[in-house]
């Protein structure tokens, strides 16, 4: 075997993979920019089919998920709260239990698993449905214009995903704070001053800003990354089925990057 030819083929394949990866990430950035622009335009919510599609997707992304997510979130919160409180009391650090709970549960864990829950239950299946629709239309010789596809199929799903992540994270955060109070102070109202003072000391302006931005970018990543892959053609110019694991790995890498940046902003 000619080593020069083998090296050339290896470099060619490597270059193709790099080009494909760059193209995929550029598609994500471009779609995110287009969705952000369309989201602030009044024409995106005009009466008729456009508004009906947005409202329908808002319900589909939030209504069926809300109950089960709150039940799951409450169970996880109770378990973590009991572990943290019991550990803090055993080491004589009960005065730090509430702050640790708020920082770990509300600031870090709840936005992350809200984003993952919406991604697995709505965003990724919805992106697969869009890809199947495009594949069926292509077989029939019908091609969506880019702007038509963006407004009628991608934008309503992206807006509903963002709304779902923000709503689930907000409601779950409130539930976790209530459960934390009940676990630490019980049903007595006398713990409210100390509780509000402890929670308020955690939510400083800088921490609140970073928390809000992190949750928003989580929701945007969950909305954009699966849909960008759904609207991207494969090497043959078709809309073949993509691996769910690879798409989830791409999404998780974006969420992990956002989480690392938020940790750097909060603690360094």
């Amino acid at each position: 075997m000619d080593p020069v030819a083998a090296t050339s083929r290896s470099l060619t394949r490597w270059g193709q993979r790099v080009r494909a990866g760059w193209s995929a990430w550029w598609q994500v950035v471009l779609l995110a920019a287009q969705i952000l622009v369309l989201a602030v335009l009044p024409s995106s919510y005009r009466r008729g089919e456009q508004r009906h599609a947005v409202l329908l997707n808002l319900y589909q992304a939030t209504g069926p998920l809300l109950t089960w997510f709150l039940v799951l979130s409450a169970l996880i919160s109770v378990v973590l709260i009991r572990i943290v409180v019991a550990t803090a009391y055993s080491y004589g650090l009960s005065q730090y239990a509430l702050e640790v709970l708020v920082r770990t549960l509300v600031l870090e864990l709840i936005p992350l698993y809200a984003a993952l829950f919406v991604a697995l239950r709505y965003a990724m299946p919805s992106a697969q449905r869009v890809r199947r629709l495009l594949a069926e239309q292509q077989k029939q010789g019908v091609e969506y214009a880019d702007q038509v596809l963006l407004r009628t199929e991608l934008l309503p799903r992206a807006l509903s995903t963002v709304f779902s992540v923000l709503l689930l994270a907000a409601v779950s955060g409130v539930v976790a704070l209530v459960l934390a109070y009940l676990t630490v102070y019980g049903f007595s109202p006398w713990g409210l001053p100390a509780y509000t003072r402890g929670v308020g000391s955690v939510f400083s302006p800088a921490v609140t800003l970073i928390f809000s931005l992190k949750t928003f970018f989580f929701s945007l990543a969950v909305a954009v990354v699966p849909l960008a892959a759904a609207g991207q053609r494969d090497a043959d110019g078709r809309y073949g089925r993509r691996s769910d694991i690879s798409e989830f790995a791409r999404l998780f890498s974006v969420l992990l990057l956002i989480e690392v940046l938020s940790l750097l902003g909060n603690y360094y």
Side-chain angles (χ1 to χ4, degrees):
M1 179 182 294
D2 187 358
V4 176
T7 303
S8 178
R9 285 193 296 270
S10 300
L11 290 175
T12 300
R13 288 194 296 268
W14 179 80
Q16 291 173 347
R17 288 195 296 268
V18 171
R19 182 179 179 182
W22 172 257
S23 176
W25 286 113
W26 173 247
Q27 184 76 12
V28 171
V29 175
L30 182 61
L31 181 61
Q34 291 174 322
I35 287 175
L36 288 175
V37 171
L38 289 176
V40 299
L41 293 180
S43 60
S44 299
Y45 311 97
R46 64 179 182 269
R47 295 184 181 275
E49 294 183 2
Q50 183 73 25
R51 177 177 293 186
H52 175 73
V54 172
L55 294 177
L56 178 62
N57 281 276
L58 283 177
Y59 170 75
Q60 292 175 344
T62 306
L65 307 184
L66 186 59
T67 301
W68 288 110
F69 179 78
L70 289 182
V71 172
L72 177 63
S73 177
L75 291 175
I76 295 175
S77 297
V78 168
V79 172
L80 291 178
I81 289 169
R82 292 300 302 171
I83 291 174
V84 172
V85 171
T87 304
Y89 274 97
S90 65
Y91 285 98
L93 301 173
S94 58
Q95 67 272 23
Y96 300 111
L98 182 61
E99 181 178 349
V100 172
L101 282 173
V102 174
R103 287 188 178 276
T104 56
L105 186 59
V106 179
L107 291 183
E108 307 301 338
L109 294 180
I110 285 179
L112 181 59
Y113 69 69
L116 292 175
F117 189 84
V118 175
L120 294 174
R121 293 296 302 273
Y122 175 77
M124 295 182 65
S126 181
Q128 290 289 358
R129 286 194 292 270
V130 171
R131 193 164 183 84
R132 285 197 300 268
L133 174 63
L134 293 175
E136 292 173 0
Q137 295 286 347
Q138 190 179 51
K139 290 179 181 178
Q140 298 172 3
V142 179
E143 294 287 344
Y144 274 111
D146 290 341
Q147 288 301 314
V148 173
L149 175 64
L150 182 62
R151 282 186 174 273
T152 60
E153 299 294 338
L154 302 186
L155 179 63
R157 287 174 168 83
L159 292 176
S160 59
T161 302
V162 171
F163 177 79
S164 180
V165 173
L166 295 179
L167 179 65
L168 295 184
V171 176
S172 181
V174 173
V175 171
L177 290 175
V178 172
L179 292 174
Y181 178 85
L182 294 177
T183 303
V184 176
Y185 298 102
F187 291 93
S188 172
W190 305 113
L192 280 174
Y195 178 78
T196 54
R197 185 168 57 251
V199 174
S201 65
V202 175
F203 282 95
S204 64
V207 171
T208 304
L209 177 62
I210 293 174
F211 170 72
S212 302
L213 290 176
K214 178 180 72 172
T215 307
F216 171 73
F217 282 116
F218 272 175
S219 65
L220 187 62
V222 173
V224 170
V225 174
L227 289 177
Q232 190 176 24
R233 299 172 186 265
D234 53 25
D236 299 326
R238 299 183 180 277
Y239 296 100
R241 180 175 175 81
R242 289 176 175 265
S243 171
D244 291 334
I245 296 179
S246 63
E247 297 303 324
F248 179 77
R250 179 183 299 176
L251 173 60
F252 188 76
S253 66
V254 176
L255 296 178
L256 184 61
L257 176 61
I258 297 172
E259 179 66 27
V260 170
L261 292 176
S262 72
L263 291 175
L264 290 175
N266 280 329
Y267 302 109
Y268 289 96

Coordinates of all heavy atoms in Angstrom, one line a residue, residues 28-46 50 147 150-151 154-156 158-159 162 216 220 224:
V28 N -26.6 25.6 13.3 CA -27.2 25.9 14.6 C -27.1 27.4 15.0 O -28.1 28.0 15.4 CB -26.4 25.1 15.7 CG1 -26.9 25.5 17.1 CG2 -26.7 23.6 15.5
V29 N -26.0 28.0 14.7 CA -25.9 29.4 15.0 C -26.8 30.3 14.1 O -27.4 31.2 14.6 CB -24.4 29.9 14.8 CG1 -24.2 31.4 15.0 CG2 -23.5 29.2 15.9
L30 N -26.8 29.9 12.9 CA -27.7 30.7 11.9 C -29.2 30.5 12.3 O -29.9 31.5 12.3 CB -27.4 30.1 10.5 CG -28.2 30.9 9.4 CD1 -27.8 32.3 9.3 CD2 -27.9 30.2 8.0
L31 N -29.6 29.3 12.6 CA -31.0 29.1 13.0 C -31.3 29.9 14.3 O -32.4 30.5 14.4 CB -31.3 27.6 13.2 CG -32.7 27.3 13.5 CD1 -33.7 27.7 12.4 CD2 -32.9 25.8 13.7
A32 N -30.4 29.9 15.3 CA -30.7 30.6 16.5 C -30.8 32.1 16.2 O -31.7 32.7 16.8 CB -29.5 30.4 17.5
A33 N -30.0 32.6 15.4 CA -30.1 34.1 15.0 C -31.4 34.4 14.3 O -32.1 35.3 14.6 CB -28.9 34.5 14.2
Q34 N -31.8 33.5 13.4 CA -33.1 33.7 12.7 C -34.3 33.6 13.6 O -35.2 34.4 13.5 CB -33.2 32.7 11.6 CG -32.2 32.9 10.4 CD -32.3 31.8 9.4 OE1 -32.5 30.6 9.7 NE2 -32.2 32.1 8.1
I35 N -34.3 32.7 14.5 CA -35.4 32.5 15.5 C -35.5 33.7 16.4 O -36.6 34.2 16.7 CB -35.2 31.2 16.2 CG1 -35.5 30.0 15.3 CG2 -36.1 31.1 17.5 CD1 -35.3 28.7 15.9
L36 N -34.3 34.2 16.9 CA -34.4 35.3 17.8 C -34.9 36.6 17.1 O -35.7 37.4 17.7 CB -32.9 35.6 18.3 CG -32.4 34.6 19.3 CD1 -30.9 35.0 19.6 CD2 -33.2 34.6 20.6
V37 N -34.6 36.7 15.8 CA -35.1 37.9 15.1 C -36.6 37.7 14.8 O -37.4 38.7 15.1 CB -34.4 38.0 13.7 CG1 -35.0 39.1 12.8 CG2 -32.9 38.4 13.9
L38 N -37.0 36.6 14.4 CA -38.5 36.3 14.1 C -39.3 36.4 15.4 O -40.5 36.8 15.4 CB -38.7 35.0 13.5 CG -38.2 34.9 12.0 CD1 -38.4 33.5 11.5 CD2 -39.0 35.9 11.1
A39 N -38.7 36.0 16.6 CA -39.4 36.0 17.8 C -39.8 37.4 18.3 O -40.8 37.5 19.0 CB -38.6 35.3 18.9
V40 N -39.1 38.4 17.9 CA -39.5 39.8 18.3 C -40.3 40.5 17.2 O -40.6 41.7 17.4 CB -38.2 40.6 18.6 CG1 -37.4 39.9 19.7 CG2 -37.3 40.7 17.4
L41 N -40.6 39.9 16.1 CA -41.4 40.5 15.0 C -42.9 40.3 15.3 O -43.3 39.1 15.5 CB -41.0 40.0 13.7 CG -39.6 40.3 13.2 CD1 -39.3 39.7 11.8 CD2 -39.3 41.8 13.1
P42 N -43.7 41.3 15.3 CA -45.1 41.1 15.4 C -45.8 40.2 14.4 O -46.7 39.5 14.6 CB -45.7 42.5 15.4 CG -44.5 43.4 15.7 CD -43.3 42.7 15.2
S43 N -45.2 40.2 13.2 CA -45.7 39.4 12.1 C -45.7 37.9 12.4 O -46.4 37.1 11.8 CB -45.0 39.7 10.8 OG -43.6 39.4 10.9
S44 N -44.8 37.5 13.3 CA -44.7 36.1 13.7 C -45.9 35.6 14.5 O -46.1 34.4 14.6 CB -43.4 35.8 14.5 OG -42.3 36.2 13.7
Y45 N -46.7 36.5 15.0 CA -47.8 36.1 15.8 C -49.1 36.7 15.2 O -50.1 36.9 16.0 CB -47.6 36.7 17.2 CG -46.3 36.4 17.8 CD1 -45.3 37.3 17.8 CD2 -46.0 35.1 18.4 CE1 -44.0 37.1 18.3 CE2 -44.7 34.9 18.9 CZ -43.8 35.8 18.8 OH -42.5 35.5 19.3
R46 N -49.1 36.9 13.9 CA -50.4 37.4 13.3 C -51.5 36.4 13.4 O -51.2 35.2 13.5 CB -50.1 37.8 11.9 CG -49.7 36.7 11.0 CD -49.5 37.2 9.5 NE -49.2 36.1 8.7 CZ -48.0 35.6 8.4 NH1 -46.9 36.2 9.0 NH2 -47.7 34.6 7.6
Q50 N -50.6 31.0 11.5 CA -49.3 31.3 12.2 C -49.6 31.3 13.7 O -48.9 30.6 14.5 CB -48.7 32.6 11.8 CG -47.3 32.8 12.4 CD -46.2 31.9 11.9 OE1 -46.3 31.4 10.8 NE2 -45.2 31.7 12.7
Q147 N -37.7 30.2 4.1 CA -38.5 31.1 5.0 C -39.8 30.5 5.4 O -40.3 30.7 6.5 CB -38.7 32.5 4.4 CG -37.4 33.3 4.3 CD -36.8 33.6 5.7 OE1 -37.6 33.9 6.6 NE2 -35.5 33.4 5.8
L150 N -39.1 27.9 8.0 CA -38.7 28.5 9.2 C -39.9 29.0 10.0 O -40.1 28.8 11.2 CB -37.7 29.6 9.0 CG -37.2 30.4 10.2 CD1 -36.4 29.4 11.1 CD2 -36.3 31.5 9.7
R151 N -40.8 29.7 9.3 CA -42.0 30.3 9.9 C -43.1 29.3 10.3 O -43.7 29.4 11.4 CB -42.6 31.4 9.0 CG -41.8 32.7 9.0 CD -42.6 33.8 8.2 NE -41.9 35.1 8.3 CZ -42.2 35.9 9.3 NH1 -43.1 35.7 10.2 NH2 -41.6 37.1 9.3
L154 N -40.5 25.4 12.0 CA -39.4 25.5 13.0 C -39.7 26.6 14.1 O -39.5 26.3 15.3 CB -38.1 25.9 12.3 CG -37.6 24.9 11.2 CD1 -36.3 25.2 10.7 CD2 -37.6 23.5 11.7
L155 N -40.2 27.8 13.7 CA -40.4 28.8 14.7 C -41.4 28.4 15.7 O -41.1 28.6 16.9 CB -40.8 30.1 14.0 CG -41.1 31.3 14.9 CD1 -39.8 31.7 15.6 CD2 -41.6 32.5 14.1
P156 N -42.6 27.9 15.4 CA -43.5 27.6 16.5 C -42.9 26.5 17.4 O -43.1 26.6 18.7 CB -44.7 27.0 15.7 CG -44.7 27.6 14.4 CD -43.2 27.7 14.1
A158 N -39.7 26.0 18.1 CA -38.6 26.6 18.9 C -39.2 27.5 20.0 O -38.7 27.5 21.1 CB -37.7 27.4 18.0
L159 N -40.2 28.3 19.7 CA -40.8 29.2 20.7 C -41.4 28.4 21.8 O -41.3 28.7 23.0 CB -41.8 30.1 20.1 CG -41.3 31.2 19.1 CD1 -42.5 31.9 18.5 CD2 -40.4 32.1 19.8
V162 N -38.7 26.9 24.1 CA -38.1 27.9 25.0 C -39.1 28.2 26.1 O -38.7 28.2 27.3 CB -37.8 29.2 24.2 CG1 -37.5 30.4 25.2 CG2 -36.7 29.0 23.3
F216 N -32.1 30.8 30.1 CA -32.6 31.2 28.8 C -31.7 30.5 27.7 O -32.3 30.0 26.7 CB -32.5 32.7 28.6 CG -32.7 33.2 27.2 CD1 -34.0 33.2 26.7 CD2 -31.7 33.6 26.4 CE1 -34.2 33.6 25.4 CE2 -31.9 34.0 25.1 CZ -33.2 34.0 24.6
L220 N -32.8 28.0 24.8 CA -32.5 28.3 23.4 C -31.8 27.1 22.7 O -32.0 26.7 21.6 CB -31.7 29.6 23.3 CG -31.4 30.1 21.9 CD1 -32.8 30.4 21.2 CD2 -30.5 31.3 21.9
V224 N -33.0 25.0 19.5 CA -32.4 25.2 18.3 C -31.6 24.0 17.8 O -31.6 23.6 16.6 CB -31.4 26.4 18.3 CG1 -30.6 26.5 17.1 CG2 -32.3 27.7 18.5

